[in-house]
Amino acid sequence: MKLSTLSFALILAFSGLAQAQSQAQATLPASSEPTAFTMSSGTERTPEQLAMLFENADLSLKLDPQTRSVSGNAVLSFKANAELKRLVLELDKNLRIESVSVNGKALANGAISNPEGRLFLNLSQPLQKGEVAEVSVRYQGVPRIAKRAPWDGGFVWSQTASGAPWIASAVQGEGCDLFWPCIDHPMGKPKLMRLHITVPSPLVVAGNGIAQGVDEKDGWRTYHWQIKHPSTYGIAMNVGPYELLEDSYQSRFGNRIALKMWHLPGNQEKAKHLMIEFAPMLDFFESKFGPYPFGDEKMGVVETPHLGMEHQTINAYGNEYKKSPHGYDWLLHHEFAHEWFGNQMTNQNWDDFWLHEGFASYMQPLYLQYLRGERDYQVGMHEQRLRIVNKFPMVTGRSMSEKEVANGPGNDVYFKGSHILHTLRGQIGDDAFFKAVRLLIYGRNDPKPGNFSPRYSTTKEFIQIVNQITKKEWNWFFKAYLMHAALPELLSKRDGNVLKLEWKLPDGSEFPLPVEVSVNNKIVRVAMEKGKGQIQLPVHATFTIDPAAKLLRHEPQIEAWIADVQAKARLARAVK
Ligand SMILES: [Zn+2]
């Protein structure tokens, strides 16, 4: 989640909240702005990081709402797959490091350096290939305060209506290194993570994975949680005077899934209502694709002071229990989709971000088709179509940070991505489409609880999967839509009794995408070999090109509408 534009009402609601927060923060210590390096997520890893296999992370973190500070001890174990003279982690340099030890031996101060948020730890003796190092980092400080979570991330130190602390973290764009030492790259996942979060009693911590109990001492509570294969930005702090609703879901795969919803006091009825949506959402994903990937942990949702984020097994939910005109909570659905597209299948590099957001965004219209049929599916697609801007290519083939993608193709990664999938599905049919997406998610076509684990993927792999399943070559299709900013244009010309069609691509390459034409209410499929085709029209025939809206293509009427909306928005801003 991180759409960069919202409805006007939502933007207003958010700016009001930010204002209230900044007033409350006036008397508290401000967080210092991290370096550009720390603010970026997914910077290419160093050779040392590439040689460090992240085994386990054990993070103890004390959150103090009074001072908005954290103090932590991260115990991280890495296995070397080459000789390592130093270890390289990442941590915001504004968090002061108190000590570092490796395999129980303290590192000298001179062996620790963190000039810009990249933490170098020089080892007194090199780690040999196959050896494991257990690194313990003690640190404390004031982590970055989010300016506008989840888009501009960090910690949110909010309060409930009754004045209780209500805390959240959201760091998708900036990365895990804003508050714990990690490898801030999509491929920096540990195999297992234990969390011990300490907060003032009686606050509640809604955590990732499985609850392992609570200790209480001297007015502080420590909540213990444990999660397997967490995505790096999926680790989140969620603290409040929460109440918990629990239920379970009998999966079609035979397992029973724990359902947990942490909500603020006073919202129990609304939260119960939201929970009614959990079962149909689960059934949709499980029937279309396969098992909920974290069925042995939980489906978790927590009410947050920001709009939302796909934190693994503890989805941040801040949509104020509102349903869309389609009668469902689109935000919950979108974040939940990321358990499949983002947390189970993770992009190897942010350059492939559309594998998270394009797929997760396609899930909402697809859910509407499952729930309500064709009208709501097509309306859902059209709502997204109006938000495609085509300013930047979606995939560059180079290593990209999350911010570079957000500031480049931005929302196109969501809605253009969704439309590419819609178009692909129309061409290859449901059988091949769902098989391809299943392979992308699970790496196998027969996923069952226990026979798969989280995996990484790439755009290239998805194209290979589609080629393999359809026994056809689709590289031209993906290249046209993903590597060019502008959309393919379908030129049409009626020449007497002949309708001529031609695809036009910015680089002039061929685009042999078949086109349906309705001629006197009968569908004719034009093969478009070499990107061109023509059909005979009877005298006085009426015709409609692509009558079922199966194709993503340049549409001048939509461009004109978007330009008009943008001009009005600019004018409104200028008048303010
Ligand atoms: Zn998303």
Side-chain angles (χ1 to χ4, degrees):
M1 161 74 216
K2 278 234 311 190
L3 305 175
S4 61
T5 51
L6 277 173
S7 75
F8 194 52
L10 261 176
I11 291 167
L12 280 181
F14 262 84
S15 57
L17 187 65
Q19 217 167 37
Q21 277 172 15
S22 62
Q23 278 161 8
Q25 284 159 17
T27 53
L28 286 160
S31 60
S32 305
E33 200 55 13
T35 64
F37 172 78
T38 298
M39 287 297 282
S40 166
S41 184
T43 312
E44 278 206 74
R45 288 167 294 169
T46 66
E48 294 90 345
Q49 289 178 324
L50 288 167
M52 292 160 62
L53 304 176
F54 203 163
E55 300 282 323
N56 300 328
D58 190 290
L59 177 66
S60 302
L61 203 63
K62 186 175 183 179
L63 310 183
D64 187 349
Q66 290 286 325
T67 56
R68 297 188 171 179
S69 65
V70 303
S71 56
N73 183 24
V75 182
L76 316 170
S77 58
F78 299 97
K79 193 173 182 179
N81 65 13
E83 192 197 61
L84 282 168
K85 292 194 171 68
R86 64 179 185 180
L87 301 175
V88 183
L89 294 172
E90 287 157 52
L91 182 66
D92 182 355
K93 71 172 194 159
N94 295 313
L95 300 174
R96 190 166 58 82
I97 291 169
E98 293 176 325
S99 66
V100 178
S101 67
V102 177
N103 291 334
K105 266 182 71 181
L107 278 193
N109 279 348
I112 306 165
S113 76
N114 190 17
E116 52 154 4
R118 196 168 248 166
L119 174 59
F120 295 101
L121 306 173
N122 290 316
L123 301 171
S124 45
Q125 65 186 78
L127 201 63
Q128 299 305 315
K129 185 177 174 178
E131 276 188 322
V132 174
E134 191 178 86
V135 186
S136 167
V137 181
R138 284 188 182 277
Y139 62 101
Q140 62 148 308
V142 178
R144 181 177 200 261
I145 291 170
K147 294 205 170 80
R148 202 171 70 97
W151 301 276
D152 186 283
F155 266 73
V156 182
W157 303 92
S158 189
Q159 287 190 341
T160 64
S162 61
W166 188 20
I167 307 163
S169 68
V171 297
Q172 184 188 41
E174 302 75 17
C176 42
D177 54 344
L178 276 196
F179 68 96
W180 61 282
C182 60
I183 295 176
D184 179 17
H185 187 278
M187 295 188 76
K189 294 185 194 186
K191 286 185 190 155
L192 180 78
M193 186 153 182
R194 293 192 182 89
L195 294 141
H196 318 280
I197 314 301
T198 303
V199 295
S201 181
L203 291 175
V204 176
V205 177
N208 301 91
I210 297 178
Q212 307 281 308
V214 190
D215 304 325
E216 185 153 355
K217 202 182 157 197
D218 303 331
W220 293 81
R221 281 184 179 178
T222 302
Y223 288 79
H224 307 280
W225 290 89
Q226 179 175 305
I227 182 167
K228 288 182 285 185
H229 305 282
S231 78
T232 51
Y233 71 90
I235 293 295
M237 299 295 117
N238 291 291
V239 182
Y242 288 126
E243 291 170 5
L244 173 62
L245 287 172
E246 293 185 86
D247 201 346
S248 68
Y249 174 77
Q250 181 56 52
S251 162
R252 60 175 58 231
F253 291 98
N255 55 321
R256 192 166 268 282
I257 300 167
L259 309 177
K260 295 182 195 260
M261 165 92 221
W262 284 264
H263 62 86
L264 291 185
N267 287 347
Q268 193 187 77
E269 283 313 306
K270 290 177 185 169
K272 270 187 188 163
H273 215 68
L274 184 67
M275 272 189 100
I276 295 171
E277 295 196 50
F278 289 13
M281 286 186 187
L282 271 161
D283 185 60
F284 161 75
F285 286 108
E286 292 208 321
S287 63
K288 296 284 180 198
F289 302 103
Y292 172 60
F294 312 107
D296 56 349
E297 294 181 337
K298 69 177 183 296
M299 173 184 174
V301 178
V302 58
E303 191 174 346
T304 51
H306 63 82
L307 185 63
M309 186 53 72
E310 59 264 24
H311 299 139
Q312 196 167 319
T313 70
I314 187 72
N315 269 297
Y317 173 82
N319 199 29
E320 298 173 347
Y321 304 97
K322 290 191 297 257
K323 286 188 198 293
S324 86
H326 303 283
Y328 81 124
D329 197 306
W330 72 269
L331 181 102
L332 175 70
H333 194 273
H334 179 87
E335 304 309 348
F336 191 47
H338 283 303
E339 297 287 24
W340 284 263
F341 307 100
N343 297 336
Q344 159 61 27
M345 180 279 300
T346 304
N347 52 207
Q348 276 190 19
N349 190 286
W350 287 119
D351 193 38
D352 296 315
F353 201 5
W354 81 286
L355 296 181
H356 291 192
E357 297 299 354
F359 282 74
S361 296
Y362 186 51
M363 293 304 119
Q364 285 82 66
L366 201 60
Y367 181 57
L368 293 176
Q369 192 172 39
Y370 156 99
L371 208 59
R372 316 219 182 278
E374 285 311 307
R375 183 196 61 184
D376 284 42
Y377 172 73
Q378 287 289 3
V379 169
M381 289 311 300
H382 196 252
E383 287 164 354
Q384 295 188 350
R385 179 64 187 86
L386 296 177
R387 301 179 70 176
I388 299 175
V389 295
N390 304 306
K391 287 269 185 328
F392 291 87
M394 302 228 310
V395 177
T396 65
R398 299 188 308 273
S399 175
M400 297 284 273
S401 71
E402 197 271 359
K403 284 235 157 58
E404 286 174 301
V405 182
N407 296 331
N411 282 358
D412 277 3
V413 169
Y414 294 71
F415 306 127
K416 193 168 175 177
S418 170
H419 271 263
I420 293 169
L421 296 174
H422 163 78
T423 306
L424 178 70
R425 182 179 164 214
Q427 295 294 324
I428 69 178
D430 277 10
D431 254 22
F433 177 79
F434 287 102
K435 207 180 263 183
V437 179
R438 194 171 302 122
L439 274 171
L440 172 78
I441 298 169
Y442 301 97
R444 60 190 301 162
N445 209 12
D446 60 343
K448 290 180 188 67
N451 75 1
F452 63 89
S453 53
R455 65 190 303 271
Y456 295 106
S457 192
T458 59
T459 299
K460 204 170 145 194
E461 189 199 33
F462 184 61
I463 299 171
Q464 281 165 357
I465 291 172
V466 173
N467 290 349
Q468 173 209 320
I469 285 175
T470 59
K471 298 187 173 66
K472 274 187 184 164
E473 204 270 305
W474 289 91
N475 299 45
W476 56 272
F477 173 92
F478 288 103
K479 192 177 167 221
Y481 282 124
L482 294 171
M483 311 288 276
H484 292 129
L487 286 174
E489 195 175 350
L490 183 60
L491 305 175
S492 65
K493 198 174 155 210
R494 186 177 191 158
D495 200 351
N497 285 340
V498 180
L499 176 65
K500 290 182 175 170
L501 298 171
E502 184 178 354
W503 281 110
K504 200 177 129 202
L505 250 57
D507 67 351
S509 57
E510 281 179 17
F511 192 63
L513 188 68
V515 176
E516 287 179 356
V517 182
S518 159
V519 179
N520 287 341
N521 301 319
K522 266 178 73 181
I523 298 291
V524 182
R525 191 168 180 273
V526 189
M528 301 298 285
E529 274 169 41
K530 295 187 174 2
K532 288 181 187 174
Q534 61 180 54
I535 47 173
Q536 295 292 321
L537 297 174
V539 183
H540 302 308
T542 60
F543 67 92
T544 307
I545 295 167
D546 189 26
K550 289 183 176 174
L551 306 174
L552 172 61
R553 60 190 167 112
H554 172 76
E555 292 184 75
Q557 79 282 8
I558 291 179
E559 307 293 324
W561 187 86
I562 293 172
D564 192 38
V565 168
Q566 286 172 342
K568 279 182 185 140
R570 272 196 299 275
L571 195 67
R573 276 199 299 273
V575 169
K576 257 196 214 162

